[in-house]
Amino acid sequence: MKRVLNQPTGSLFESLPATQRTEALAPGAAILRGFATDIAPQLLAAIRDVTSHSPFRHLVTPGGFTMSVAMTNCGESGWVSDRTGYRYDPIDPLSHQPWPAMPDVFRKLASDAAAAAGFADFRPDACLINRYDPGTKLSLHRDYDERDATAPIVSASLGVPATFQWGGLRRNDRTRRVPLEHGDVVVWGGPSRFVYHGIASLKESHHSLTASQRINVTFRKAR
């Protein structure tokens, strides 16, 4: 039997195909299971090209803490952090050059996934690429540095499994633990645009394409 799991009535998912591969998280938020699996090798090849120009690095938070997750960017703007704050910058602070252009395979994935979740005409201008090694995590946070809050967030998982922490609009709201597998894509926007979310400490595992690592690509409309 084909169905959408936990689909909320009257949500943005009324036009979304009823398929076992789709799970609703909340109004305006869905997991597209395996959506990026078939193109994963192309995505990883594109990531290797991006990182040859703008390598992964561990950013420092405004509070002076070094993030355990390694990050880089591509697109018109890149998300950066240092002691002066969080922001988008068109220039890579390491190379002092513009960030690498967003690969076409990235743009198509972001647009197609957003459309499948009910967000038509999504055109991201920023892509944050995160690399998780065993033991690394991303604390609960919400994405609010973008100027266009009407556009969704599109986030694709590659490599070893991870536990996605999905909270509420307040930091102390109850958090759900949602397993993410290689190729899964999460899309959230509308009433869920500013939900708190994170990744629990990555467990030891192995994937044929990424060894012990998880790679995450997150698409945003920053400007």
Side-chain angles (χ1 to χ4, degrees):
M1 179 179 65
K2 294 184 177 181
R3 60 192 178 98
V4 174
L5 302 179
N6 304 319
Q7 178 171 329
T9 303
S11 76
L12 295 176
F13 301 110
E14 290 177 346
S15 61
L16 192 146
T19 167
Q20 290 178 327
R21 303 295 286 171
T22 300
E23 299 175 14
L25 280 173
I31 304 175
L32 309 178
R33 294 291 186 187
F35 195 87
T37 303
D38 290 345
I39 61 169
Q42 295 98 299
L43 295 173
L44 290 167
I47 290 168
R48 287 192 292 271
D49 186 56
V50 168
T51 56
S52 70
H53 296 87
S54 289
F56 283 113
R57 74 289 308 264
H58 294 273
L59 301 179
V60 175
T61 70
F65 298 99
T66 299
M67 300 179 70
S68 65
V69 176
M71 301 180 176
T72 189
N73 296 273
C74 63
E76 298 171 29
S77 295
W79 186 85
V80 297
S81 173
D82 55 28
R83 294 302 296 266
T84 66
Y86 304 116
R87 64 191 180 280
Y88 282 96
D89 196 315
I91 301 298
D92 180 347
L94 287 186
S95 69
H96 305 290
Q97 299 293 322
W99 296 100
M102 191 181 302
D104 290 342
V105 66
F106 278 24
R107 292 187 184 278
K108 180 169 175 53
L109 169 63
S111 177
D112 289 354
F119 298 94
D121 302 320
F122 177 51
R123 298 292 183 269
D125 57 12
C127 176
L128 176 62
I129 307 171
N130 291 346
R131 187 190 68 202
Y132 294 80
D133 291 291
T136 61
K137 63 181 181 179
L138 195 60
S139 300
L140 280 180
H141 65 283
R142 54 180 180 168
D143 301 323
Y144 59 87
D145 296 317
E146 300 75 30
R147 294 181 183 176
D148 187 354
T150 65
I153 305 294
V154 176
S155 181
S157 293
L158 302 171
V160 303
T163 299
F164 186 51
Q165 297 177 307
W166 178 260
L169 296 176
R170 298 173 299 180
R171 184 180 289 277
N172 60 351
D173 285 344
R174 184 177 66 88
T175 300
R176 294 164 55 189
R177 294 172 63 86
V178 182
L180 292 180
E181 301 287 340
H182 173 70
D184 290 347
V185 179
V186 186
V187 182
W188 65 96
S192 292
R193 175 60 179 75
F194 293 109
V195 162
Y196 280 90
H197 58 280
I199 293 291
S201 181
L202 194 71
K203 295 182 179 179
E204 291 276 358
S205 188
H206 183 272
H207 192 277
S208 60
L209 295 179
T210 65
S212 62
Q213 296 175 337
R214 172 184 184 256
I215 306 294
N216 174 247
V217 287
T218 302
F219 302 96
R220 302 164 179 169
K221 187 71 171 67
R223 301 295 183 181

